[in-house]
Amino acid sequence: MKYEMTIAGLKRQLPLCPINENLYIGAFVMFGDPEITVAAARDLLQKAPEFDVIVTAESKGIPLAHEMARQAGNMPYVVCRKGAKRYMRNVVQTTVDSITTDHIQILCVGEDDGERIRGKRVLIADDVISTGGSLRSIEKLVNQLGGNIVGKMAVLAEGDAAKRDDIIFLERLPLFHGDGSPIEDEQ
């Protein structure tokens, strides 16, 4: 099953993936699709507040953050890693429970990247915001590191995330019933 949608002016077929027998999500993966990455970055930057640094989570947000930073004039960006690396010093970390992962993950930032955030206007960017778990974890890290969050952006807002007034996004991505039909908002 697939769901067709237009994102940043481009049509894409999103495979539907089960979360359980009654709930499916549309898989939006920017890896390997430079056309959608460039277009989404362009359209998000048109909506973005002024910022000094972009912060994203490893790993699906990396191409987006990179392209946004490039299009914005080679601004710096920081990736919150899923685990500490040997070269990272004085690591700050938190946990995240994401709808697309079957276990609790760690997000962390080392001292060098922390300095890129401290005292700066931070724009958080990601591919999809759904439950907001990853976003909350990134916010926690940015706050611990002394950054000033000026905006939270995503290419797609999934399910109830589209109702939030604190995120900027390009398109709404519905959740899906087990038969592949979109779950309509209950209002």
Side-chain angles (χ1 to χ4, degrees), residues 60-96:
K60 286 177 26 187
I62 295 172
L64 178 66
H66 175 87
E67 183 60 24
M68 288 177 72
R70 189 192 69 74
Q71 288 185 28
N74 295 316
M75 300 291 285
Y77 70 96
V78 170
V79 177
C80 300
R81 304 296 304 263
K82 289 182 181 176
K85 304 298 179 190
R86 292 186 187 266
Y87 58 80
M88 295 169 70
R89 299 172 294 125
N90 299 318
V91 173
V92 176
Q93 70 180 35
T94 189
T95 58
V96 60

Side-chain angles (χ1 to χ4, degrees), residues 60-166:
K60 286 177 26 187
I62 295 172
L64 178 66
H66 175 87
E67 183 60 24
M68 288 177 72
R70 189 192 69 74
Q71 288 185 28
N74 295 316
M75 300 291 285
Y77 70 96
V78 170
V79 177
C80 300
R81 304 296 304 263
K82 289 182 181 176
K85 304 298 179 190
R86 292 186 187 266
Y87 58 80
M88 295 169 70
R89 299 172 294 125
N90 299 318
V91 173
V92 176
Q93 70 180 35
T94 189
T95 58
V96 60
D97 187 9
S98 170
I99 191 172
T100 57
T101 308
D102 63 357
H103 60 280
I104 302 293
Q105 293 180 305
I106 292 173
L107 285 182
C108 60
V109 174
E111 180 177 14
D112 293 336
D113 282 334
E115 286 304 315
R116 288 188 179 122
I117 293 171
R118 192 173 333 285
K120 299 295 193 302
R121 295 173 296 179
V122 174
L123 179 64
I124 298 173
D126 210 349
D127 60 337
V128 179
I129 295 177
S130 185
T131 63
S134 297
L135 179 62
R136 280 188 298 279
S137 295
I138 295 170
E139 287 178 285
K140 184 176 178 180
L141 284 174
V142 169
N143 288 329
Q144 286 176 324
L145 293 164
N148 175 30
I149 299 168
V150 295
K152 298 173 270 189
M153 305 187 93
V155 178
L156 303 177
E158 185 174 55
D160 286 344
K163 298 175 186 174
R164 293 176 57 164
D165 61 4
D166 65 327

Side-chain angles (χ1 to χ4, degrees), residues 3 5 7 14-20 23-29 60 97-101 126-136 153-177 181-185:
Y3 178 72
M5 67 182 303
I7 305 163
L14 306 185
L16 299 186
C17 303
I19 298 300
N20 60 46
L23 179 64
Y24 281 62
I25 60 172
F28 176 63
V29 181
K60 286 177 26 187
D97 187 9
S98 170
I99 191 172
T100 57
T101 308
D126 210 349
D127 60 337
V128 179
I129 295 177
S130 185
T131 63
S134 297
L135 179 62
R136 280 188 298 279
M153 305 187 93
V155 178
L156 303 177
E158 185 174 55
D160 286 344
K163 298 175 186 174
R164 293 176 57 164
D165 61 4
D166 65 327
I167 59 171
I168 300 165
F169 58 93
L170 298 181
E171 301 295 337
R172 178 187 181 278
L173 176 61
L175 296 169
F176 301 88
H177 294 286
S181 63
I183 295 173
E184 300 300 323
D185 291 330

